[in-house]
Amino acid sequence: MADTIKNTLTDSVPNNNYPKEKASAFEASVTLANTNIEKGNWDVAYSYLKTAIEINPNYAEGHNHLGVYYTRNKKYTEAINSFKKALQINFAFVDAHYNLANVYMERKEYAMALSHFKEVVQASPGDYETYYLMGTCCINDNKEKDAESFFCESNRLKADFAPAAINLCKILIKKQDYAMAKNTLFFLLKKDASLPEVHFLLGLIYKIQQKYTKAVHHFREVVLKEKDNTEAYNLLGECCVEMNMDKQAESFFVMALKLDMSYINPFINLGNLYYKQKRYTDAIPYLEEYLKTKEAADSINAIWSDTSVKNTEEIVPLYNLLGFCYKLTNNLINARAMWEKSLAVQPHQQEIQNELTQLPQPTRIHKKISLVIE
């Protein structure tokens, strides 16, 4: 947070019509405050800033510096008050607008942050970094259309500014504008071929377009630069499955799980791969782990969701697949349990109904009744 603040120091000391002794004390305090700020000695500068402001309450730059001090110490309420005071004195003070916007952004008050970032770009229309921050605010505030506009403007002002270009491309990919996204990403690669996120997004586009060889090339570049990128390893595995490179796919899925057991996609991918290879015993624990995590997540989502409608697109095929694994490993009780769960969610599945009727009925164990009367 402290690295994003603006803190322009001026060489001149504000001219105020004070008695000579007060003017000297004010000038000395401002000079000492600025000297310590330049050295990064904010705790020392703080006392001089307070003294300068006590002498001259209309010292806008001093209020801005105080706001920076409070921001660095995560005292955001005090920081906001200081930046606001600076703007009351001089509303055209761009640094104070920028700093106040950053504090609001840190507090997730995105609408407030945007109002002050707008003042910054009105004063500095070429400020591509602030346009990027405005786009970030909009993304966090679920205003994707506005975010696209701000990222576009940042990218127009500086095409090789990677953060704005990458975020713009994420929106373009979501909109299926792959041609524009690829043009933007390849321009970045010409400037810097070492950017993992650029390779990741290109890999994603090629995977969506079923150009798996090209996708593998870019995902490989990602894991060469970021050896702990779990998602890239998983996507490499998915591409290999499509290319009938099952052995390589298995290695990538296993690597993804080694890196992060909480990332559940490799579980289902390994389960599906082993099922395809008729390794049903191997498939079961991965499918069970995925199902356990998925059911827990669905339960949590149901608590927070306003609707009782469940997304059955994934859970029903999973019940069915596990059911077949259990049947093929002669665990008929569990097979029945899975298929009954599946039909409870989606009753009109003729194939599953047929499979269920072919299973032997579970034996009922009757407890003997004691005839002894005590």
Side-chain angles (χ1 to χ4, degrees):
M1 179 68 188
D3 294 334
T4 63
I5 56 181
K6 288 189 178 180
N7 191 56
T8 306
L9 296 173
T10 57
D11 294 330
S12 60
V13 175
N15 184 22
N16 298 283
N17 297 320
Y18 292 122
K20 186 175 180 181
E21 62 276 7
K22 276 199 171 185
S24 297
F26 176 73
E27 290 175 10
S29 296
V30 170
T31 301
L32 287 167
N34 288 346
T35 300
N36 281 283
I37 288 170
E38 286 175 341
K39 293 178 179 179
N41 299 330
W42 281 92
D43 290 336
V44 177
Y46 173 77
S47 60
Y48 294 117
L49 288 171
K50 293 290 283 185
T51 300
I53 288 170
E54 284 174 9
I55 298 171
N56 177 12
N58 292 321
Y59 177 34
E61 212 173 277
H63 288 289
N64 182 60
H65 293 332
L66 268 184
V68 173
Y69 168 83
Y70 289 130
T71 302
R72 291 170 65 92
N73 287 279
K74 301 187 184 302
K75 296 181 177 181
Y76 296 130
T77 301
E78 292 89 338
I80 287 171
N81 291 335
S82 293
F83 293 136
K84 281 184 174 180
K85 183 63 179 177
L87 291 172
Q88 285 173 6
I89 298 164
N90 178 13
F91 190 76
F93 195 172
V94 174
D95 283 6
H97 280 296
Y98 182 90
N99 294 334
L100 182 53
N102 268 287
V103 174
Y104 280 132
M105 196 173 174
E106 180 74 10
R107 287 161 60 105
K108 297 180 170 48
E109 297 178 43
Y110 300 114
M112 293 296 293
L114 274 171
S115 67
H116 290 282
F117 279 138
K118 284 177 181 176
E119 296 294 334
V120 176
V121 295
Q122 284 177 3
S124 305
D127 190 343
Y128 61 90
E129 289 179 313
T130 297
Y131 277 112
Y132 161 69
L133 292 173
M134 293 170 79
T136 304
C137 282
C138 291
I139 284 290
N140 290 326
D141 209 21
N142 297 314
K143 296 176 179 176
E144 195 168 278
K145 187 176 180 180
D146 291 334
E148 183 180 358
S149 298
F150 291 131
F151 290 142
C152 272
E153 183 61 13
S154 178
N155 185 247
R156 184 189 69 81
L157 291 167
K158 191 169 177 61
D160 60 348
F161 180 54
I166 287 169
N167 279 278
L168 174 61
C169 288
K170 289 177 181 177
I171 295 173
L172 293 173
I173 291 169
K174 191 175 179 181
K175 292 172 62 178
Q176 300 182 7
D177 191 348
Y178 304 127
M180 179 66 74
K182 282 199 286 190
N183 288 339
T184 304
L185 293 166
F186 278 123
F187 181 85
L188 286 178
L189 278 189
K190 286 180 182 178
K191 296 290 182 181
D192 185 356
S194 68
L195 294 170
E197 199 161 4
V198 174
H199 283 290
F200 184 90
L201 292 177
L202 280 168
L204 200 57
I205 292 170
Y206 283 125
K207 182 176 182 290
I208 293 167
Q209 295 178 328
Q210 299 182 2
K211 298 177 181 178
Y212 299 114
T213 303
K214 289 184 177 181
V216 165
H217 164 74
H218 288 289
F219 288 136
R220 183 175 176 275
E221 289 296 320
V222 176
V223 298
L224 286 173
K225 295 173 176 63
E226 294 181 345
K227 299 188 186 302
D228 59 347
N229 193 315
T230 308
E231 193 173 359
Y233 278 111
N234 182 65
L235 290 170
L236 271 169
E238 291 180 0
C239 290
C240 288
V241 167
E242 298 294 338
M243 297 165 71
N244 295 314
M245 299 166 60
D246 289 359
K247 186 176 180 180
Q248 293 88 335
E250 181 180 6
S251 297
F252 288 129
F253 292 144
V254 170
M255 176 60 75
L257 286 179
K258 282 182 179 178
L259 289 169
D260 186 0
M261 289 288 288
S262 67
Y263 181 54
I264 65 172
N265 288 16
F267 284 104
I268 187 68
N269 285 330
L270 276 170
N272 282 321
L273 179 62
Y274 291 147
Y275 182 82
K276 185 180 83 168
Q277 295 174 338
K278 300 183 179 180
R279 295 164 58 184
Y280 307 118
T281 303
D282 292 331
I284 287 171
Y286 290 101
L287 294 173
E288 286 177 336
E289 184 63 29
Y290 184 83
L291 177 61
K292 182 176 71 174
T293 307
K294 184 77 173 61
E295 286 182 328
D298 287 349
S299 297
I300 293 169
N301 291 336
I303 294 170
W304 294 104
S305 177
D306 293 331
T307 175
S308 60
V309 178
K310 292 182 179 179
N311 182 4
T312 60
E313 290 180 3
E314 190 173 2
I315 198 70
V316 169
L318 183 56
Y319 286 144
N320 294 341
L321 183 61
L322 253 176
F324 282 113
C325 286
Y326 288 134
K327 179 186 175 182
L328 292 163
T329 54
N330 208 32
N331 189 338
L332 303 184
I333 294 174
N334 281 1
R336 174 177 291 279
M338 282 298 108
W339 287 335
E340 286 178 346
K341 275 189 172 185
S342 176
L343 290 170
V345 178
Q346 213 173 80
H348 305 296
Q349 299 180 77
Q350 191 61 51
E351 181 188 3
I352 301 303
Q353 288 174 357
N354 293 341
E355 289 287 346
L356 200 55
T357 57
Q358 292 172 19
L359 292 179
Q361 290 296 323
T363 56
R364 299 177 184 274
I365 300 173
H366 296 282
K367 185 179 179 182
K368 288 185 178 181
I369 300 173
S370 175
L371 298 179
V372 178
I373 300 174
E374 294 180 359

